[in-house]
Amino acid sequence: MSFLKFSHRLIITLACTLPLTSYAELDENEKQIVKQVEINVPQAIQQIEQAVNINSGSLNIEGVKKVGKLASEQLAAIGFKVEWLDGSAFKRAGHVLATHESRNPSAIKILMIGHLDTVFAKHDDFTTYKQLGANQASGPGVADMKGGNTIIITALKSLQALNLLENVSIKVLLTGDEESSGRPLNLSKKAIVDAAEWADVALGYENGDNNIKTAMAARRGYVGWRLNISAAAAHSSQIFSENVGYGAIYEASRILNSFREQLATQPNLTFNPGLIVGGTNADYDSVNSSATAFGKSNVIAQTVHVAGDLRALSPEQVEKTKKVMQQIVDKNLNGSKAELVFEDGYPPMALTEGNKKLLALYSEASQNLGYNKVVAANPRNAGAADISFAANHVDMALDGLGLMGSGAHTKNEKADLTSLDKNIKKTALLIYRLANLKR
């Protein structure tokens, strides 16, 4: 069966799953938006397939650039000015920045955020798009987040076709390092911060918690941490003695268990030791996230390294947690010494009144289209995302508006294609209404 015939059959199938509605609460322009989106959906599916079939793991520089070129061509075709922001300074491919400037000086400014990269390595065997019946597709990054990028582009394409972008200025930023951020962060995330300082509203097209009934009005921040412990090496028969002490592994155990005892019940807070290595000799390679060690059962461990992350919902919670962790680390067992090092990470995206307002507008658009009410997702149900670098610089921010699915970051990643048409329409309607919002 040809792709066009399959796409036509797919759209008919998807349309049959939608509620019958007269769109009574939509104005005439909004009804035209709905029709225009429906015209554009078959090509949107084709564009998702094209993007998925380009391997673009974060460290596959050429692959990320190819996906960026594809998106750039699609954005340029609808009249956006497109730039490629080179990422060599932070050891990544770079970002796509596309801009549409309204001639109306009071026009609302919207930043739309996606990303070009995936978690899959260059030589992974999971490399192609596959249609799984009418309602699902699989492939690397199909939901996270090449489908989300397509929602952005198709919504804008639909509005542009109807000349409905006249009262809104838009920047689309598709980053090339969301899954593995380039360092230093002040360089790799500079484009997001700069665009956010320009914008009034930020919209993120990650798939959030993969629930079409929710959106991310808040996201937890991410901070990396390292725990380095040293102790006196000696024969195991001398452990616990006054002269030798407890060794590095017992000290690591004390510290990690105290973290759990004192902090595990805090709301929206998690801290995970993801790697631990210890022995007479122990080395941790942070670049490759790997470790080696040598030790014997009759020798007291001299060295331990632990690498972990910390996720919290506010800067205040992050700082309070860091203080408690440091106090625990400082109470060393006899014969040991511990060092706690925090690394740069993602800032939290707080649940602000502006974010709640934007969520309400998005939910209203969904309901006016005959779909479900959209509520705030539990921040613990999704990881960090690029929008966190924008949220503190805009009046309103909302994420999780992309293509729904399951199995992200695994070879079982699937997209729920029934959410494609819906979320394009909801985005297009939201942008149209923000453009005409009295401020």
Side-chain angles (χ1 to χ4, degrees):
M1 183 185 298
S2 72
F3 176 82
L4 290 177
K5 287 182 179 178
F6 183 85
S7 295
H8 181 66
R9 180 177 294 180
L10 175 62
I11 298 309
I12 291 173
T13 303
L14 295 181
C16 291
T17 69
L18 302 180
L20 295 175
T21 176
S22 63
Y23 300 123
E25 297 184 74
L26 305 184
D27 69 25
E28 287 307 310
N29 282 336
E30 292 172 341
K31 291 175 184 177
Q32 290 303 311
I33 290 171
V34 170
K35 293 178 181 178
Q36 190 63 46
V37 169
E38 290 169 354
I39 291 170
N40 290 334
V41 165
Q43 188 177 32
I45 295 171
Q46 184 180 15
Q47 289 173 344
I48 294 172
E49 180 175 1
Q50 287 177 305
V52 168
N53 285 342
I54 301 171
N55 185 302
S56 62
S58 305
L59 302 183
N60 181 359
I61 302 298
E62 290 307 311
V64 174
K65 287 182 176 180
K66 286 180 182 178
V67 177
K69 184 175 184 292
L70 182 65
S72 296
E73 291 169 352
Q74 294 164 3
L75 288 159
I78 57 175
F80 277 63
K81 176 186 175 183
V82 183
E83 305 170 67
W84 176 257
L85 307 180
D86 181 68
S88 57
F90 47 90
K91 299 180 178 61
R92 295 295 185 270
H95 315 312
V96 169
L97 177 63
T99 305
H100 161 79
E101 290 276 8
S102 172
R103 295 180 181 178
N104 179 354
S106 62
I108 195 167
K109 298 174 181 177
I110 300 176
L111 169 61
M112 304 177 78
I113 302 172
H115 66 83
L116 307 166
D117 59 321
T118 72
V119 300
F120 299 97
K122 187 173 183 178
H123 300 294
D124 278 352
D125 58 2
F126 181 56
T127 56
T128 59
Y129 177 96
K130 293 181 182 178
Q131 197 76 42
L132 306 174
N135 297 334
Q136 279 193 327
S138 66
V142 64
D144 185 15
M145 67 165 293
K146 292 173 179 179
N149 297 341
T150 300
I151 287 174
I152 294 172
I153 294 168
T154 307
L156 296 174
K157 177 182 178 180
S158 302
L159 291 167
Q160 185 74 314
L162 299 169
N163 296 314
L164 293 177
L165 290 179
E166 296 174 355
N167 289 320
V168 58
S169 290
I170 293 174
K171 287 186 184 291
V172 176
L173 183 62
L174 307 179
T175 66
D177 68 335
E178 197 275 345
E179 300 292 6
S180 177
S181 296
R183 301 286 170 161
L185 287 176
N186 66 323
L187 292 182
S188 66
K189 305 305 178 186
K190 183 178 185 301
I192 303 175
V193 174
D194 288 348
E197 289 177 344
W198 165 89
D200 303 306
V201 176
L203 302 175
Y205 286 82
E206 283 278 2
N207 44 346
D209 66 349
N210 284 301
N211 183 349
I212 200 166
K213 296 181 180 181
T214 68
M216 305 301 301
R219 276 190 180 271
R220 295 189 300 164
Y222 161 91
V223 175
W225 54 268
R226 289 268 305 277
L227 181 62
N228 303 310
I229 301 170
S230 59
H235 193 280
S236 62
S237 64
Q238 300 305 300
I239 197 165
F240 313 141
S241 68
E242 184 69 26
N243 292 335
V244 174
Y246 291 78
I249 289 179
Y250 270 119
E251 174 66 338
S253 300
R254 177 195 70 82
I255 291 170
L256 295 177
N257 191 53
S258 295
F259 287 173
R260 179 188 63 81
E261 288 180 336
Q262 296 190 34
L263 294 168
T265 60
Q266 298 298 312
N268 294 310
L269 176 69
T270 57
F271 40 93
N272 176 58
L275 180 149
I276 183 168
V277 58
T280 305
N281 297 307
D283 295 299
Y284 170 56
D285 179 356
S286 60
V287 174
N288 296 304
S289 193
S290 62
T292 59
F294 170 81
K296 297 177 68 177
S297 62
N298 63 349
V299 179
I300 298 171
Q302 186 174 19
T303 305
V304 169
H305 299 291
V306 185
D309 73 5
L310 162 65
R311 297 174 188 266
L313 195 54
S314 69
E316 294 77 16
Q317 189 176 39
V318 171
E319 292 307 312
K320 182 178 179 180
T321 302
K322 284 182 177 181
K323 184 177 179 180
V324 173
M325 292 173 73
Q326 187 62 60
Q327 289 172 345
I328 291 169
V329 168
D330 289 342
K331 297 176 181 179
N332 299 134
L333 290 175
N334 181 35
S336 63
K337 182 178 181 181
E339 173 193 41
L340 181 62
V341 180
F342 291 100
E343 302 167 348
D344 289 338
Y346 282 53
M349 172 180 163
L351 183 62
T352 66
E353 290 303 314
N355 294 2
K356 292 177 184 178
K357 179 180 179 181
L358 187 57
L359 174 62
L361 290 170
Y362 185 72
S363 181
E364 182 179 41
S366 178
Q367 291 174 284
N368 291 165
L369 286 163
Y371 308 146
N372 53 268
K373 181 179 180 181
V374 183
V375 300
N378 184 336
R380 287 199 60 166
N381 292 344
D386 277 340
I387 197 170
S388 292
F389 290 92
N392 292 333
H393 302 284
V394 294
D395 298 328
M396 298 186 286
L398 194 64
D399 199 4
L401 311 182
L403 189 60
M404 303 293 101
S406 62
H409 295 196
T410 75
K411 293 186 177 184
N412 297 316
E413 182 172 1
K414 296 182 180 68
D416 173 8
L417 295 177
T418 66
S419 66
L420 180 64
D421 174 270
K422 294 177 181 179
N423 283 0
I424 296 171
K425 287 175 182 174
K426 283 150 56 176
T427 285
L429 218 63
L430 178 66
I431 292 172
Y432 171 75
R433 290 179 175 184
L434 286 170
N436 293 281
L437 191 67
K438 294 181 179 180
R439 293 186 294 156

